[in-house]
Amino acid sequence: MGLTTKNNSMQIDKYKIDEYNQSLLKEHKRKFDFITAEIKAVENILQKLIEFQLAIPSWALGTGGTRFGRFPGGGEPRSLEEKIEDIGLLHALNKSSGAISLHIPWDIPENASHIKALAAQNDLRFDAMNSNTFQDQPDQKLSYKFGSMQHVDKAVRKQAIEHNIEVIKYGVELGTESLTVWLSDGSCFPGQLNFRKTFQNTLESLQEVYAALPNKWKMFVEYKAYEPNFYSMTVGDWGQSLLYATKLGEKAYTLVDLGHHLPNANIEQIVALLLMEGKLGGFHFNDSKYGDDDLTVGSIKPYQLFLIFNELVEGMDARGMHHATDLAWMIDASHNVKDPLEDLLQSVEAIMITYAQALLVDRKKLTEAQNNNDVVTAQEILQNAFRTDVRAIVAEARSRAGGALNPLAVYRNEKVREHLIKERGSKTVATGL
Ligand code: RM4
Ligand code: MN
Ligand code: MN
């Protein structure tokens, strides 16, 4: 059996992964040699892929559900420890999920040194902390029904500020260096609030949180077009987010969540301009057809994802940024009909494939085509990269890092979910939405 339980935590044995890799090696080599015959600087691409890590949010390991229902699949993590264990399993398989992002109060690290040790044991670091003022907690004094940082009542705003400062404290204990603030603040009906006063209240509240940021920390202001408020959102688009971030100061950045735009928004253009301004801080990956659907990355609009990655790579290179570490990369998806761990493996794979394709774009030729107004060639260059099957390159990077050539196959063959159900039970429910 290739699954071992060490210190109460289930792990996939390395020899099992090697065994699977061995059985796929001949076929893999054939594909890898075929594709690399055409590609220059493949070693450089492999190195970048090995370095690139996605953070998995602590709330994505259970079944998400919708407001109509939730259908858990069993074996969901019952504690932060078990969530770390789940991400450890993912990371052992794909070597690209080496970070965890916590949501407070869903996942309070009661014993920080123990949690830190557990994460280190699983080769994981802590990425951005997420605060939550979009729900009322059972022991909470004042309600966020009419907003948190925007609230007309100063006492409610103070409560929201204090919560965020507490989240920073947990982050300090865990060794992370960023805070993501997503506000559900806004209004459901015209006339409900005064836009200008609402903005000013929110800005002042954010300023107080900003003032509590330790040195080197960053603050990410995440925007969202609608939901749960349906008439106006107080941080509703990248313009508003950028306005807050600019007024706050150099530690504040905009965070782009792919599902948080109005239909047909040109997200790649937004990304390019934010990078140009040095104000893009973090990224939440998911995919959507209609709204904030939180579907598997790359499952609906893979070409859009490619165009976004194309701008990310171009924009980061223009500023001399380090792809893997200068932005906070996180998957923000929800799983209604799939096993969350399988879904996350698919999302990470989609991101790595798209990143690899974006690295293939011939930038010199593209600039040339742009300067000559050669629209056809420009399109050919982009689509040529997008239509390249880079899966063997991504698999090669993964196996060089010690992961599986085919993570999903190992996960299924080793019956990981069945083991988790046996260990944790079929009725467990993870914290989160
Ligand atoms: C929001 C937003 C935030 C996430 C919550 C759970 O729509 O995407 O990033 O923290 O959902
Ligand atoms: Mn998000
Ligand atoms: Mn969202």
Side-chain angles (χ1 to χ4, degrees):
M1 180 44 58
L3 295 168
T4 322
T5 305
K6 274 184 213 138
N7 313 322
N8 274 331
S9 130
M10 197 175 83
Q11 286 172 3
I12 296 185
D13 293 328
K14 179 73 176 72
Y15 82 87
K16 258 291 156 196
I17 292 178
D18 293 342
E19 224 173 80
Y20 280 105
N21 285 353
Q22 204 53 44
S23 71
L24 297 174
L25 200 58
K26 216 172 132 220
E27 181 63 8
H28 166 68
K29 224 184 145 312
R30 191 181 62 73
K31 291 181 183 157
F32 184 66
D33 290 344
F34 178 78
I35 183 68
T36 48
E38 278 182 40
I39 293 172
K40 290 176 252 141
V42 73
E43 285 302 318
N44 183 22
I45 295 178
L46 287 167
Q47 194 47 40
K48 289 204 160 91
L49 292 174
I50 291 170
E51 285 170 13
F52 201 79
Q53 299 294 322
L54 280 313
I56 307 293
S58 61
W59 63 99
L61 301 154
T63 312
T66 68
R67 65 182 187 274
F68 301 106
R70 188 175 189 271
F71 304 95
E76 289 190 12
R78 296 161 292 185
S79 59
L80 178 52
E81 282 84 347
E82 290 185 349
K83 291 179 179 185
I84 292 173
E85 178 185 347
D86 278 12
I87 301 174
L89 286 168
L90 294 177
H91 191 46
L93 289 169
N94 65 22
K95 292 290 172 189
S96 310
S97 336
I100 171 167
S101 200
L102 294 191
H103 217 299
I104 304 294
W106 292 338
D107 288 293
I108 295 181
E110 302 290 357
N111 180 342
S113 57
H114 160 69
I115 291 296
K116 258 173 98 168
L118 193 62
Q121 205 182 300
N122 283 281
D123 192 20
L124 306 175
R125 60 176 180 78
F126 289 92
D127 211 315
M129 299 296 288
N130 300 268
S131 58
N132 179 343
T133 59
F134 50 87
Q135 290 174 320
D136 283 349
Q137 306 304 324
D139 53 352
Q140 189 176 307
K141 256 174 63 199
L142 303 164
S143 172
Y144 295 133
K145 180 171 178 179
F146 296 107
S148 57
M149 294 204 177
Q150 71 169 21
H151 206 282
V152 286
D153 181 354
K154 193 161 189 239
V156 179
R157 303 202 295 271
K158 189 160 177 276
Q159 180 180 280
I161 293 162
E162 278 166 6
H163 164 70
N164 275 273
I165 293 173
E166 197 191 329
V167 174
I168 295 173
K169 287 201 185 110
Y170 286 124
V172 169
E173 287 176 12
L174 295 173
T176 158
E177 289 178 342
S178 50
L179 169 74
T180 299
V181 180
W182 172 66
L183 299 176
S184 67
D185 291 35
S187 66
C188 270
F189 296 97
Q192 187 182 327
L193 49 73
N194 174 299
F195 293 132
R196 210 176 50 247
K197 282 186 194 152
T198 299
F199 182 94
Q200 271 151 5
N201 280 344
T202 306
L203 177 62
E204 276 168 31
S205 305
L206 288 171
Q207 276 164 337
E208 290 204 36
V209 176
Y210 186 90
L213 288 176
N215 271 340
K216 287 207 343 220
W217 268 59
K218 293 180 182 172
M219 179 169 168
F220 304 137
V221 183
E222 182 176 359
Y223 59 89
K224 180 168 176 173
Y226 67 89
E227 196 203 17
N229 275 296
F230 293 108
Y231 173 62
S232 72
M233 289 286 278
T234 300
V235 194
D237 60 20
W238 73 285
Q240 293 175 66
S241 167
L242 184 60
L243 206 52
Y244 289 112
T246 307
K247 286 178 190 286
L248 284 166
E250 57 180 19
K251 291 176 178 174
Y253 298 83
T254 293
L255 184 142
V256 174
D257 181 313
L258 292 182
H260 288 190
H261 305 85
L262 291 173
N264 304 327
N266 189 332
I267 305 174
E268 52 271 30
Q269 187 180 17
I270 296 173
V271 165
L273 297 186
L274 285 172
L275 274 171
M276 177 182 81
E277 291 300 294
K279 278 299 200 185
L280 181 63
F283 222 85
H284 285 179
F285 292 101
N286 48 51
D287 209 343
S288 62
K289 176 91 178 140
Y290 301 106
D292 190 23
D293 307 344
D294 282 336
L295 297 174
T296 320
V297 182
S299 61
I300 309 276
K301 291 175 280 194
Y303 191 50
Q304 184 194 50
L305 184 67
F306 166 77
L307 295 174
I308 292 167
F309 253 106
N310 178 47
E311 294 303 333
L312 285 168
V313 167
E314 203 265 345
M316 285 191 289
D317 286 350
R319 294 184 69 88
M321 290 167 76
H322 192 277
H323 296 184
T325 51
D326 282 350
L327 291 189
W329 307 107
M330 192 189 91
I331 294 179
D332 194 3
S334 174
H335 327 282
N336 300 330
V337 296
K338 289 180 184 168
D339 173 336
L341 293 179
E342 293 193 349
D343 198 343
L344 287 163
L345 286 176
Q346 287 185 308
S347 278
V348 173
E349 177 78 7
I351 292 167
M352 299 312 283
I353 287 173
T354 315
Y355 177 39
Q357 289 170 329
L359 292 171
L360 289 182
V361 173
D362 191 330
R363 308 250 155 238
K364 233 179 107 213
K365 282 212 180 114
L366 183 60
T367 309
E368 243 170 61
Q370 288 167 347
N371 289 340
N372 293 327
N373 293 315
D374 186 348
V375 187
V376 170
T377 301
Q379 181 189 332
E380 287 295 311
I381 290 166
L382 290 187
Q383 292 195 329
N384 185 37
F386 176 65
R387 289 170 179 158
T388 308
D389 183 356
V390 296
R391 288 175 296 178
I393 299 179
V394 173
E396 174 72 15
R398 210 164 33 228
S399 77
R400 285 198 195 177
L405 282 171
N406 186 342
L408 204 50
V410 179
Y411 181 87
R412 288 217 166 170
N413 288 333
E414 287 304 298
K415 302 197 179 342
V416 176
R417 180 54 60 186
E418 285 87 329
H419 284 275
L420 290 173
I421 292 175
K422 227 187 271 161
E423 194 181 286
R424 301 170 181 171
S426 57
K427 295 263 179 296
T428 55
V429 175
T431 46
L433 278 180

